Amino acid sequence: MKEIRLDGFTEALADSSNIVITNHTNPDGDAMGSALALAHVLKGLGKNVSVIVPNPYPKFLWHLQGNDAVMIYSNGKKLANQKIAEAQMLFHLDYNAYGRAADMEEALRNATGKKVMIDHHQQPEDWPDFMYSDTSMSSTCQMIYEFCEMYGWTGHLDKGSAECLYTGIVTDTGSFKYSATSSRTHEVAGKLLDLGVESQAVQNSIFDAQPIARLRLLGAMLDQLETNASGTIVLLYLSQSQCESLGYEKGITEGFVNYGLSIEGAQMTLFMREEEGIVKLSLRSKGIIDVNEIARASFNGGGHKNAAGGKLEMALPEALAYAKKVFEWV
Ligand code: 5GP
Ligand code: MN
């Protein structure tokens, strides 16, 4: 599904000097890459830009250009609320529902600036003044490149901002592997390389600079994985006590869910991580199985057809039993 509603955007932007860019809770490579690259471009256009994200994000993203100026809402709301209230325009990147902004939700709902959504998730909410929504896109980072091209801004991208976009494309496509990777995705990636991005360096900073705790947690998760009788569904999980004893930190289990689908015959996988009486979960599927629908119907979440997430307000043992019931485990 594609919905583009940008009539009057250029005029609204011309009237906006203070701009806020936001993304979703637990920001990932695509959320941070798109926000930081767009911030750079808008600064190049002479705007005052603040990037405000709901909560902290993993260390492997801290080297991205512009990282030092990012405001983390959960670490200090006063100044962030002021910036949000004063903004004449707000960008909502890599999410399409207020609820995904977590603690920032209320401030964003009350904001009076023009709201611009750029996102590739399914079923966008209807509140934006301007919308660029396309579920066929590999990543919001690819969409930021397309957006820059639409408005003739690609000349404002430099090596650092191109690296931000490349990081988001690589993380959201699993290194150009997932089904939303199109020939255009490769073309855009090529243009970013032309801007000076060093592909191997970006891949190394994402995949080969992980704390040792990540491997210890991965080992524990793989050791206890379960499959249903036919081997089509794979259940992965880590308890809070395992996370604590093995050195869990935010974002460290990013990508763990994909191991479930690497098993021959696996069609769908669910990874659950327990944290303070709730379970955060990630769903992935192959082919026609729509985990966005499953996440919406049974796991208080959503996302894309083959990659979604959600949460359950229960402890891990209950969550495991619940998931087995949902999946008619045999
Ligand atoms: P992940 O499993 O990597 O956290 O998320 C997979 C996809 O589902 C991402 O596109 C993410 O934005 C979306 N997603 C993750 N958690 C939630 C959630 O709680 N609610 C909704 N609506 N989407 C989610
Ligand atoms: Mn994304």
Side-chain angles (χ1 to χ4, degrees):
M1 285 286 288
K2 184 166 168 173
E3 189 175 348
I4 301 188
R5 266 191 348 235
L6 292 168
D7 284 352
F9 169 75
T10 307
E11 294 75 11
L13 181 66
D15 288 341
S16 306
S17 48
N18 296 324
I19 296 180
V20 160
I21 299 175
T22 64
N23 58 26
H24 58 76
T25 183
N26 300 326
D28 57 7
D30 193 31
M32 289 315 303
S34 56
L36 291 169
L38 181 64
H40 178 82
V41 169
L42 293 174
K43 281 179 193 164
L45 294 167
K47 307 294 181 186
N48 299 319
V49 187
S50 305
V51 175
I52 310 178
V53 310
N55 61 351
Y57 45 93
K59 272 197 192 109
F60 77 90
L61 298 169
W62 295 359
H63 72 281
L64 293 177
Q65 175 174 288
N67 179 72
D68 291 350
V70 173
M71 296 172 65
I72 296 175
Y73 194 78
S74 59
N75 291 353
K77 304 187 175 168
K78 200 162 165 232
L79 184 59
N81 281 334
Q82 193 185 329
K83 296 272 183 201
I84 290 170
E86 284 170 4
Q88 285 101 16
M89 182 171 275
L90 299 102
F91 283 86
H92 306 264
L93 304 187
D94 205 35
Y95 71 106
N96 62 14
Y98 276 131
R100 296 283 292 140
D103 288 354
M104 279 170 74
E105 174 171 355
E106 197 189 334
L108 294 178
R109 277 185 191 277
N110 294 334
T112 54
K114 296 285 182 199
K115 295 172 179 173
V116 189
M117 178 192 286
I118 303 178
D119 178 63
H120 66 139
H121 295 90
Q122 296 184 4
Q123 292 148 288
E125 289 180 353
D126 203 30
W127 42 262
D129 298 289
F130 302 104
M131 184 186 284
Y132 174 27
S133 163
D134 187 346
T135 59
S136 74
M137 281 282 168
S138 68
S139 52
T140 301
C141 281
Q142 183 181 337
M143 297 179 77
I144 294 295
Y145 189 87
E146 308 290 6
F147 196 72
C148 288
E149 219 172 67
M150 280 181 219
Y151 290 97
W153 300 341
T154 51
H156 288 284
L157 288 166
D158 63 351
K159 181 183 173 186
S161 46
E163 212 167 76
C164 293
L165 293 181
Y166 198 85
T167 297
I169 293 174
V170 167
T171 52
D172 255 33
T173 62
S175 299
F176 304 98
K177 197 169 66 177
Y178 304 149
S179 61
T181 310
S182 62
S183 67
R184 176 66 183 166
T185 311
H186 285 282
E187 200 170 61
V188 169
K191 290 178 190 291
L192 300 174
L193 297 183
D194 290 343
L195 283 164
V197 173
E198 289 156 42
S199 175
Q200 194 184 8
V202 173
Q203 302 260 2
N204 284 349
S205 70
I206 298 169
F207 301 109
D208 300 333
Q210 298 289 350
I212 193 164
R214 178 177 161 91
L215 265 69
R216 301 213 188 283
L217 286 158
L218 180 61
M221 179 195 82
L222 295 176
D223 201 40
Q224 62 198 10
L225 74 79
E226 295 181 37
T227 70
N228 62 346
S230 57
T232 52
I233 307 177
V234 180
L235 212 47
L236 306 164
Y237 52 91
L238 286 169
S239 69
Q240 181 164 359
S241 65
Q242 286 177 310
C243 288
E244 282 167 3
S245 66
L246 296 174
Y248 175 84
E249 56 188 83
K250 204 162 199 58
I252 202 173
T253 57
E254 187 87 37
F256 276 22
V257 61
N258 298 306
Y259 284 89
L261 282 190
S262 72
I263 300 171
E264 187 181 17
Q267 297 295 317
M268 175 168 64
T269 184
L270 170 64
F271 168 56
M272 302 204 256
R273 184 177 56 77
E274 185 182 34
E275 182 182 286
E276 303 299 339
I278 71 158
V279 167
K280 256 304 287 174
L281 55 94
S282 292
L283 282 150
R284 298 291 185 271
S285 64
K286 284 182 183 158
I288 59 164
I289 299 174
D290 188 339
V291 287
N292 170 48
E293 289 302 330
I294 294 171
R296 281 171 194 273
S298 305
F299 295 107
N300 310 304
H304 311 274
K305 186 175 161 214
N306 296 127
K311 63 172 179 297
L312 291 172
E313 296 197 351
M314 47 183 98
L316 184 63
E318 288 79 58
L320 280 167
Y322 172 80
K324 287 179 179 177
K325 218 164 90 189
V326 169
F327 296 140
E328 296 170 357
W329 201 266
V330 279

